[in-house]
């Protein structure tokens, strides 16, 4: 961008007066809008920079025995350096800013004649940098306004795990952001949570192990990027004990999303990141309400589990009482057919009682594990009908099938009827044999196959 026609104030601090004379002569006549002031010494140059408006400095490597060139960075002014060809290494040490430049001296003062072009270039570069910086400052201010407006806690840690930035949302814990700068992140955590989220303690346990992205440890002071970055790490945040309003509240549950600006092996991915000194940037989200809701749900589920267990226990006991009453009454029955009907009714009740008993004894209160149930039912019926396992060998072939009580109860009654019939009729007079019970999932996974078979005397020829 071209500068306007306003006067350019130049400080000339050179070791060769003839260059100043040639500059004044060449720019005389009003064609160049320059106001040139000269310095005879280092103190004189410092005074002029402090007291007057200076747009650009022109100097060389010999003025004030080189001290002025060494300390040019102290004054935020663009400069042009006069030098000789043998000074290129020294020039490279001094010129670090694109808004500064140099000219190689010429015996016929041709470098003075191109100086106006170089002045215009340097000042335009300075103006462009200042404009870019203003835009950057506006962007940073907008970014900071956005970060401060977030309800989540946003933080940045250095390589040692100490805060270098934290937004105003940390005030919900009773802390002022400025009071945490330079302090270790552990001041925000409940002491019990620190060992499981800190690099210092966690990574020792993983030394020499290959974890992969899925099993990589979750850390508060994360220093990795990509798939291994920490996500949704839950910690308990400690409220400020010095703040009376915050001290009385319970710890806040926080979910951490942290990512590192350094690679996992500790080498910075870029020179700029290394200079920044940042090790971790992250976000803490308040999940206290969600955790409290989860605790309430778990408590409610535990209470309902106890209630369901009690219901199953009472149903089982009531059915056992009915079975016992039938057993008592059977002692007064003389007719063998009536006694058999009593026994059938009793085994049916006991088979239903066993369904509730199994639900009560196991942690799965909503379903019956059929393989275990069939085994226990067969043992019980062998005992009821006074059949020895050595006489009738029971073979059970069942998939891992869990049935709810609405389906399990009728299946239990079917099994009871079929197994009872086999034990009552298939093996008369101590006949030995095998009883085969099969319960399988159908290949469509939507139905089941139940079969009870024996190798006893078989069905009568006139069986309908």
């Amino acid at each position: 961008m071209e500068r306007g026609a306003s006067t350019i104030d130049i400080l000339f601090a050179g070791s060769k007066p003839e260059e100043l004379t040639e500059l004044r002569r060449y720019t005389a006549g009003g064609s160049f809008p320059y106001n040139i002031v000269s310095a005879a010494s280092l103190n004189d140059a410092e005074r002029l920079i402090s007291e007057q408006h200076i747009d650009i400095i022109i100097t060389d490597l010999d003025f004030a025995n080189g001290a002025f060139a060494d300390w040019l960075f102290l004054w935020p002014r663009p400069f042009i350096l006069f030098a000789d060809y043998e000074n290129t290494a020294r020039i490279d040490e001094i010129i670090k800013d694109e808004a500064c430049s140099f000219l190689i001296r010429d015996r016929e003062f041709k470098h003075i004649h191109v100086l106006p072009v170089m002045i215009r270039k340097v000042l335009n570069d300075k103006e462009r940098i200042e404009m870019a910086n203003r835009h950057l400052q506006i962007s940073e201010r907008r970014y900071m306004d956005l970060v401060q407006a977030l309800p989540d806690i946003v933080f940045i840690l250095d390589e040692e795990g100490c805060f270098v930035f934290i937004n105003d949302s940390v005030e919900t814990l009773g802390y002022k952001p400025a009071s945490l700068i330079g302090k270790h992140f552990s001041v925000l955590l409940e002491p019990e949570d620190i060992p499981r989220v800190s690099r210092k303690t966690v990574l020792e346990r993983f030394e020499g192990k290959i974890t992969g992205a899925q099993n990589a440890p979750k850390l508060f002071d994360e220093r990795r990027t990509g798939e291994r970055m920490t996500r949704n790490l839950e910690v308990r945040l400690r409220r400020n004990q010095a703040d009376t309003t915050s001290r009385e509240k319970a710890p806040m549950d926080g979910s951490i999303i942290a990512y590192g600006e350094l690679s996992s092996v500790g080498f910075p991915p870029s020179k700029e990141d290394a200079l920044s000194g940042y090790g971790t940037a992250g976000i803490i989200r308040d999940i206290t309400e969600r955790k409290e809701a989860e605790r309430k749900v778990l408590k409610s589920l535990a209470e309902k589990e106890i209630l369901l267990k009690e219901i199953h226990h009472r149903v089982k006991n009531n059915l056992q009482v009915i079975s016992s009453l039938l057993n008592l009454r059977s002692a007064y029955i003389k007719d063998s057919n009536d006694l058999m009907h009593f026994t059938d009714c009793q085994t049916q009740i006991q088979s239903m009682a066993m369904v509730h008993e199994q639900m009560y004894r196991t942690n799965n209160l909503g379903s019956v594990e059929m393989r275990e149930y069939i085994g226990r039912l067969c043992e019980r019926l062998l005992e009821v009908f006074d059949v020895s396992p050595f006489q009738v060998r029971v073979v059970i072939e069942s998939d891992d099938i869990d049935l709810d009580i609405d389906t399990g109860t009728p299946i239990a009654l079917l099994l009871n009827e079929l197994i009872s019939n086999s034990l009552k009729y298939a093996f008369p007079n101590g006949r030995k044999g095998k009883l085969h019970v099969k319960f399988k999932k159908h290949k469509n996974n939507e139905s089941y196959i139940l079969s009870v078979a024996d190798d006893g005397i078989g069905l009568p020829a006139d069986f309908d």
Side-chain angles (χ1 to χ4, degrees), residues 13 17 42 52 61 72 145 167 178 197 206 211 224 250 276 395 422 428:
L42 181 61
Q52 296 189 27
L61 296 174
L72 280 171
D145 289 342
N167 70 342
V197 300
F206 287 84
T211 62
R224 298 167 302 194
S276 71
V395 178
S422 289

Side-chain angles (χ1 to χ4, degrees), residues 125-141:
D125 287 343
K126 177 195 174 188
E127 200 167 307
R128 187 165 52 251
I129 291 172
E130 288 177 347
M131 182 66 70
N133 286 339
R134 280 195 292 271
H135 285 299
L136 181 61
Q137 288 170 359
I138 292 171
S139 297
E140 288 180 348
R141 187 163 59 248

Side-chain angles (χ1 to χ4, degrees), residues 459-464:
L459 299 173
D462 58 348
F463 181 79
D464 184 2

Side-chain angles (χ1 to χ4, degrees), residues 170-374:
V170 77
E171 292 180 356
T172 58
L173 293 172
Y175 298 94
K176 293 295 183 183
S179 69
L180 294 174
I181 302 303
K183 293 185 179 179
H184 195 262
F185 74 85
S186 57
V187 300
L188 281 188
L189 305 188
E190 287 293 306
E192 295 83 359
D193 284 6
I194 297 171
R196 70 178 179 85
V197 300
S198 175
R199 290 175 53 83
K200 183 177 180 181
T201 54
V202 173
L203 294 188
E204 289 181 357
R205 302 196 298 268
F206 287 84
E207 187 174 356
K209 297 180 181 178
I210 299 175
T211 62
Q214 296 299 321
N215 299 315
K218 292 184 176 183
L219 304 169
F220 194 108
D221 49 343
E222 181 62 275
R223 284 174 56 185
R224 298 167 302 194
T225 57
E227 293 300 319
R228 292 170 64 87
M229 67 179 276
T230 291
R231 294 177 177 86
N232 303 322
L233 170 63
E234 293 185 3
V235 291
R236 292 175 302 157
L237 301 172
R238 190 180 187 186
R239 298 186 185 276
N240 187 2
Q241 298 303 300
D243 182 66
T244 55
T245 59
S246 175
R247 185 174 55 202
E248 298 170 357
K249 299 178 181 178
M252 186 180 98
D253 293 301
S255 173
I256 306 296
I257 302 172
Y259 60 89
E261 294 185 340
L262 301 178
S263 66
S264 59
V265 292
F267 296 104
S270 68
K271 186 176 180 181
E272 290 75 16
D273 288 337
L275 293 175
S276 71
Y278 296 160
T280 302
I283 300 171
I284 304 174
R285 180 160 297 143
D286 184 1
I287 59 170
T288 307
E289 290 185 6
R290 192 189 82 192
K291 296 296 289 185
E292 185 61 30
E294 289 177 0
R295 283 190 280 267
K296 289 180 179 178
V297 169
L298 290 175
K299 182 181 177 181
S300 177
L301 286 175
E303 292 171 350
K304 287 179 173 60
E305 183 176 331
I306 293 172
L307 180 60
L308 282 172
K309 280 194 172 186
E310 183 63 23
I311 291 172
H312 286 304
H313 186 52
R314 291 191 179 191
V315 171
K316 185 265 296 185
N317 286 347
N318 290 336
L319 291 172
Q320 291 283 27
V321 168
I322 295 172
S323 177
S324 298
L325 290 173
L326 290 173
N327 189 50
L328 289 173
R329 296 301 298 175
S330 66
Y332 300 97
I333 298 175
K334 304 302 181 182
D335 185 89
S336 59
N337 287 330
D338 291 342
L339 182 60
M340 185 174 293
H341 289 309
F342 259 69
T343 302
D344 289 343
C345 186
Q346 188 179 9
T347 57
Q348 290 171 354
I349 291 171
Q350 287 178 346
S351 68
M352 290 188 292
M354 288 173 62
V355 171
H356 290 278
E357 182 181 16
Q358 186 163 335
M359 287 184 168
Y360 167 73
R361 288 184 174 180
T362 62
N363 291 327
N364 192 350
L365 298 174
S367 60
V368 183
E369 203 287 300
M370 292 305 296
R371 179 186 292 171
E372 180 182 351
Y373 176 79
I374 293 170

Side-chain angles (χ1 to χ4, degrees), residues 53-100:
H53 173 78
I54 300 297
D55 290 309
I56 189 167
I57 298 171
I58 298 173
T59 186
D60 58 30
L61 296 174
D62 298 318
F63 180 74
N65 295 320
F68 188 56
D70 287 337
W71 295 100
L72 280 171
F73 67 90
L74 293 177
W75 300 284
R77 304 286 193 285
F79 63 84
I80 297 174
L81 198 65
F82 289 165
D84 299 310
Y85 285 109
E86 60 267 20
N87 300 134
T88 53
R90 186 83 177 92
I91 293 170
D92 187 55
E93 291 178 7
I94 296 173
I95 296 181
K96 302 294 184 183
D97 192 336
E98 66 177 278
C100 302

Side-chain angles (χ1 to χ4, degrees), residues 2-9 30-35 55 120 127:
E2 291 290 334
R3 290 174 58 85
S6 59
T7 302
I8 298 173
D9 296 310
S31 58
F32 296 101
Y34 296 159
N35 176 34
D55 290 309
R120 187 164 60 250
E127 200 167 307

